[in-house]
Amino acid sequence: MNAIIESLESIVGPGGILTGEDVAGRSDTWPPTGGCRATAIVRPGTTEEVSRVLKVCHAQNQPVVTHGGVTGLVGGAVTAPNEIVLSLERMNRMEPIDQINRTVTVDAGVPLQKVQEAAEQANLLFPLDLGARGSATIGGNISTNAGGNGVIRYGMMRDQLLGLEAVLADGTIISSMNNVIKNNTGYDLKQLFAGSEGTLGIITRAVLRLRPLPRSQNTAFVAIPGFTELAQFLQTMDSALGGTLSAFEVMWNDFYTLTIGDGSRHGTPLEMSHPFYVLLESAGGDAGSDGVRFENALQEAFDQSLIVDAVIAQSKQQRSDLWGIRDDVERLFESLYPPVAFDISLSIPDMDDYVRQVRELLEREWPNGKMVAFGHLGDGNIHLVIGVGSMEPETVHAVENIVYGELARRKGIISAEHGIGLAKKAFLGHSRSAEEIVLMKTIKSAMDPQNILNPGKILDMSQQEQT
Ligand code: ZN
C-alpha cells in the first residue's frame, strides 16, 4: 500500500495527498457519522493528474471512491479501509461565462453556489438549486444527477449538461466538451456518467447550459382542502401561468404543523387545520404583468374552490420566510430523531392513497412513530421522513419494506433524486427490471473491468460477472 501512496504522491505532489489524522478528520457521509476510513485522500489538480492517478490504481487493482462535496444522502461516498479517496477539491476553476452561447465551463470541484452566483452576475441563471448548494460540487451534482426545487421548469442536472470530460478506470481521458444544444452524433456518452455515482468514471470538467435570468418572481403559500383539489390546482396553475411555473412544493398537514408548531422559529402564514399546503412560484419575463397574471391565476383557483386560503409574498424577506418553512429539514430531522428519510417518485393520482397506506402500516407496527410527507409534487416526487425511535438495521429494514413494498405495488421509483449509493442498493430491483440491471452490469464491466471505481455502490458485481 505504501508503494501506491508513494507513486500517487509523485504525481500530485506532497500537498496533494492526505493520510492518517488528516483522513480520519474528514467525513464520508452527510450528516457526518464518524471519520473517513480510507487509506489516503488523493487531491489531483488537473485532469492529466487524475488520469495518471487512475493508471496507477488500475495497474494495482486499487479501489477508488470519488469525493465532491460529500453532501449525498445515500452513502455513495462511504469508503472502506482498503480504499483510496480521490477528491476533486483542488479542481475548482471556472472559465468566464460565454454570454452568446449561454454556457460556462467549470472544473468538477466547483461548488454549485459559485456557478449560480457567476451566472447571476452575467444576468443569466443556472437553474439547478438544492439546500446543499454551498458545499455540493458540480461534479457531484452530475454524478448523482441532482434534482431540487427547479426541476418542474428546468429539469434535473443532466438537463443542464452540454459537455463533459471524464477519466475512465484505466486512466483514459474522454473529452466530450460539446457546447451546443444539438449534437446528434451517436451515443450521448456524457449522459452515461450522469447519475453513475462514480462507478463508471471520474468527472473532471463540464460545459453547463445557462438560461435567461427571470425578470420577475412571484411566490405564494396556499392551503388546499383535499388531494383531488391539489392535483387539479397543479394543472390549473401550470396552464394559467403559461409555462412560468418554477416551483410547486407540497407539504402534507403533518409537515406544516410540525415545522411551525411549538418552539418553531417560523411565523404562521396560514392556519394549521388544512390537509395540504403548497409553496408555489413563477418566474417570468415581465415584472409588471407577471404579478397580475399570478394573482389572477390564484383567484381562478380560489373561485373553483381548489384553494381555500393564500398568502402572496410582498417582499424578498417574506419570500425567504415562506421558503424557510419548506426548507427547514433540520427541524424535521430533530423532531423525528433518529430519522429515516425517503425520496420516491410515483404517479400523482396514486400519491394520496400511498401516503395513507404507508402511514397506516407504520402506525400498526410503531404506534408512537411519526411520519411527515412533502415534496416536489409537480415532478411526481415526494419525500417521507419517518421516526420510529430506532436506527437499528432490522428496524430500518422493516420501515423500508413498508415504504418500498407499497411503492412496488404502485410501480413507483425508490429514488427520485438522491441516487442509489449503498442505502438503496438492496431495493434496486423494485424499480429496475432484471434485464435493466444486467445491462447496467454489462456497461459497468466494459468501462471498469476490474471494478475499482466506487465498488459496491449501486450494483454488486460478483467475480463471475466482472469477466
Ligand atoms: Zn427534494
Side-chain angles (χ1 to χ4, degrees):
M1 183 56 85
N2 282 341
I4 292 184
I5 290 176
E6 274 171 29
S7 309
L8 297 180
E9 190 166 351
S10 72
I11 298 167
V12 297
I17 195 153
L18 305 176
T19 54
E21 287 298 301
D22 291 334
V23 175
R26 299 275 191 116
S27 179
D28 58 9
T29 57
W30 193 92
T33 50
C36 178
R37 296 178 303 154
T39 312
I41 297 179
V42 191
R43 307 184 299 161
T46 62
T47 302
E48 196 54 45
E49 285 184 6
V50 174
S51 165
R52 290 171 63 201
V53 165
L54 283 185
K55 275 187 185 135
V56 169
C57 293
H58 192 252
Q60 308 283 334
N61 253 332
Q62 170 61 50
V64 178
V65 179
T66 310
H67 278 192
V70 193
T71 55
L73 297 168
V74 293
V78 167
T79 45
N82 66 326
E83 293 175 331
I84 279 177
V85 167
L86 191 148
S87 166
L88 290 146
E89 64 200 54
R90 289 172 72 212
M91 291 187 60
N92 54 12
R93 289 163 297 253
M94 194 173 358
E95 288 181 16
I97 283 177
D98 181 337
Q99 294 267 6
I100 304 295
N101 286 315
R102 286 195 194 138
T103 61
V104 63
T105 300
V106 302
D107 280 1
V110 174
L112 169 60
Q113 193 170 345
K114 286 256 159 59
V115 177
Q116 293 173 332
E117 288 168 358
E120 200 171 331
Q121 273 170 17
N123 214 26
L124 290 167
L125 174 75
F126 184 63
L128 188 88
D129 192 33
L130 38 90
R133 62 185 76 77
S135 321
T137 61
I138 290 298
N141 292 152
I142 298 169
S143 71
T144 58
N145 186 29
N149 298 331
V151 176
I152 188 170
R153 172 86 172 268
Y154 299 102
M156 295 186 55
M157 185 64 195
R158 65 166 77 250
D159 300 303
Q160 324 309 329
L161 198 56
L162 293 179
L164 190 85
E165 180 184 81
V167 182
L168 300 183
D170 66 359
T172 305
I173 298 171
I174 300 290
S175 186
S176 303
M177 295 294 276
N178 166 73
N179 67 349
V180 294
I181 291 169
K182 291 185 167 179
N183 179 343
N184 231 356
T185 51
Y187 301 156
D188 193 348
L189 297 175
K190 67 178 182 294
Q191 294 294 358
L192 258 183
F193 298 97
S196 70
E197 301 183 40
T199 62
L200 297 183
I202 296 183
I203 296 162
T204 47
R205 290 199 303 154
V207 185
L208 305 175
R209 183 181 180 185
L210 304 174
R211 316 293 173 116
L213 190 65
R215 294 174 187 169
S216 76
Q217 202 165 44
N218 290 282
T219 309
F221 204 94
V222 306
I224 313 267
F227 195 85
T228 312
E229 290 85 352
L230 176 59
Q232 185 58 46
F233 179 55
L234 170 62
Q235 299 297 318
T236 299
M237 295 313 279
D238 211 1
S239 67
L241 292 173
T244 63
L245 183 65
S246 56
F248 194 90
E249 296 296 308
V250 172
M251 288 149 269
W252 268 247
N253 176 277
D254 46 42
F255 178 101
Y256 186 67
T257 50
L258 195 143
T259 306
I260 66 157
D262 289 346
S264 162
R265 58 187 172 83
H266 306 287
T268 307
L270 299 171
E271 273 181 34
M272 292 205 249
S273 56
H274 305 287
F276 298 96
Y277 298 84
V278 175
L279 176 58
L280 74 154
E281 199 157 85
S282 76
D286 187 318
S289 63
D290 289 338
V292 176
R293 182 161 59 164
F294 190 71
E295 282 183 34
N296 288 344
L298 285 176
Q299 185 61 50
E300 184 186 330
F302 198 73
D303 293 343
Q304 292 172 18
S305 305
L306 302 179
I307 62 176
V308 290
D309 205 355
V311 172
I312 297 178
Q314 301 297 335
S315 64
K316 277 202 163 167
Q317 182 59 49
Q318 207 179 354
R319 173 183 182 262
S320 90
D321 290 347
L322 294 176
W323 272 105
I325 296 172
R326 163 60 181 85
D327 286 342
D328 197 354
V329 177
E330 267 171 41
R331 182 165 160 94
L332 283 192
F333 277 34
E334 273 168 28
S335 308
L336 277 67
Y337 195 83
V340 192
F342 296 92
D343 156 43
I344 58 169
S345 276
L346 78 166
S347 146
I348 292 174
D350 288 336
M351 278 183 187
D352 191 29
D353 172 62
Y354 170 77
V355 171
R356 276 172 210 275
Q357 189 66 31
V358 169
R359 194 189 306 279
E360 200 181 305
L361 292 171
L362 289 169
E363 268 169 15
R364 212 177 289 170
E365 195 75 23
W366 298 278
N368 297 321
K370 276 190 198 160
M371 170 175 120
V372 298
F374 60 105
H376 323 285
L377 190 94
D379 312 323
N381 174 195
I382 46 181
H383 296 307
L384 301 178
V385 181
I386 296 169
V388 295
S390 163
M391 278 294 258
E392 289 301 313
E394 317 82 79
T395 311
V396 172
H397 204 69
V399 172
E400 286 171 338
N401 275 333
I402 291 175
V403 171
Y404 294 140
E406 288 303 306
L407 199 59
R409 296 207 302 123
R410 294 166 178 83
K411 298 203 176 347
I413 307 296
I414 61 163
S415 178
E417 50 182 12
H418 296 167
I420 298 298
L422 285 178
K424 297 173 186 177
K425 185 169 68 169
F427 297 93
L428 186 61
H430 280 53
S431 296
R432 293 293 199 170
S433 68
E435 293 80 4
E436 284 178 303
I437 292 172
V438 168
L439 181 55
M440 287 188 201
K441 288 183 175 177
T442 304
I443 292 168
K444 167 75 173 166
S445 302
M447 294 176 69
D448 179 16
Q450 287 166 210
N451 194 24
I452 63 163
L453 293 180
N454 216 4
K457 311 293 166 47
I458 305 180
L459 301 161
D460 276 321
M461 304 292 289
S462 74
Q463 216 54 41
Q464 201 179 17
E465 283 155 344
Q466 284 175 45
T467 55

